[in-house]
Amino acid sequence: VLELDWSVPEEGRSVVRFELEPRGGGTVLSLDHSLLDARAGMRTMARWETHLRRLDALLDAEAAP
């Protein structure tokens, strides 16, 4: 578990929590970004989705023989 105080000038303070959990033959990443207002949350959700897709692609590329 990694939990961070997150601060972006346009959005204020929030908290980001990452948790890794072994499952089956792999690992599940849970991400919780809290204390955001609705507008900032929607923007942030789109950014996290982009970053997590990039991470997934990088991990898939490393796992390939």
Side-chain angles (χ1 to χ4, degrees):
V1 174
L2 174 65
E3 188 170 289
L4 305 166
D5 286 329
W6 199 269
S7 183
V8 176
E10 307 84 45
E11 297 170 2
R13 184 186 166 278
S14 60
V15 175
V16 179
R17 179 184 173 98
F18 303 91
E19 188 169 347
L20 298 174
E21 178 185 344
R23 189 170 299 160
T27 304
V28 173
L29 167 64
S30 297
L31 181 137
D32 180 30
H33 195 158
S34 58
L35 303 179
L36 294 164
D37 69 36
R39 182 171 283 161
M42 294 304 286
R43 287 190 307 268
T44 302
M45 184 173 60
R47 286 190 295 242
W48 278 123
E49 183 176 354
T50 299
H51 295 309
L52 292 172
R53 284 182 192 270
R54 290 175 63 199
L55 176 61
D56 192 41
L58 288 169
L59 293 173
D60 281 347
E62 287 182 9

